[in-house]
Amino acid sequence: MKELVYQFIHHHQLGVVSTTGSDSKPEAALVGIAVSTNLEIIFDTVKTSRKYHNILANKHLAIVVGWDNETTVQYEGDAEVLGNDSDSDNYRQIYYIAWPDGRERAETWPGLVHIKVTPKWIRYSNFNEPVVIKEMEF
C-alpha cells in the first residue's frame, strides 16, 4: 500500500492544501508538491501567505492529491517549516527534483520557505473497476 501511495503522489505534482485560519474557518490552496519515500509531502510557500501563518498557529492540515479518473489520495498530517540543517536540506532536494525551478524561487522570492508534512492518516481511493479504497494510519 505504501508503494502504491508513494507512486500515486509522486506522479502528481499538484495538491490542494487545507489549513485552518485564526477564525477557525477552512482555507485551501493549490500548491506544487513533492513526496519522500516515507510519504512526507514537501511544498514551498511565502511567509506572507495565509497557509504559512495558519501552519505556525496550527500544524494540522489536510491535502488532496489527484482527482482525474476518480482516483485520489486524501492526506492528513502535521506540518513544519524546514530549517537550515542537513535533514531539512535533504527534504528540499526531494522538492527540487520534482520542481527544478524551485531553486531559483528559493534564491529570488523574498520570504520563501519549505514546508514538510508528516502523514498521520491517508486514504487512497480509486473508484474504477475494481474499486479500491484503502486507509493507512501512522
Side-chain angles (χ1 to χ4, degrees):
M1 175 67 185
K2 183 179 176 182
E3 181 64 21
L4 173 68
V5 170
Y6 170 78
Q7 289 299 328
F8 184 83
I9 296 173
H10 181 72
H11 287 97
H12 289 80
Q13 288 196 292
L14 299 174
V16 176
V17 172
S18 180
T19 58
T20 305
S22 59
D23 57 1
S24 297
K25 292 182 180 176
E27 297 175 359
L30 184 67
V31 297
I33 60 170
V35 64
S36 75
T37 55
N38 288 325
L39 304 181
E40 297 140 323
I41 290 180
I42 304 101
F43 64 92
D44 66 10
T45 190
V46 291
K47 291 182 178 179
T48 56
S49 70
R50 297 188 311 172
K51 72 182 134 327
Y52 174 78
H53 291 281
N54 294 348
I55 288 167
L56 292 181
N58 179 356
K59 68 181 181 176
H60 308 296
L61 56 72
I63 304 171
V64 174
V65 179
W67 37 82
D68 295 330
N69 202 26
E70 296 187 71
T71 307
T72 64
V73 164
Q74 295 166 263
Y75 181 114
E76 295 175 2
D78 293 339
E80 67 178 277
V81 179
L82 293 178
N84 292 320
D85 55 278
S86 62
D87 198 37
S88 294
D89 288 341
N90 291 335
Y91 286 108
R92 275 190 281 278
Q93 293 309 313
I94 292 169
Y95 182 80
Y96 295 149
I97 289 169
W99 294 93
D101 63 329
R103 291 179 198 279
E104 182 182 337
R105 277 196 307 279
E107 294 173 6
T108 60
W109 287 21
L112 187 124
V113 295
H114 291 87
I115 307 291
K116 177 188 79 162
V117 186
T118 302
K120 298 300 178 193
W121 175 86
I122 294 175
R123 176 184 288 150
Y124 172 85
S125 300
N126 181 337
F127 290 99
N128 297 285
E129 295 294 329
V131 172
V132 176
I133 300 172
K134 301 226 181 212
E135 293 186 11
M136 301 169 66
E137 290 193 40
F138 300 82

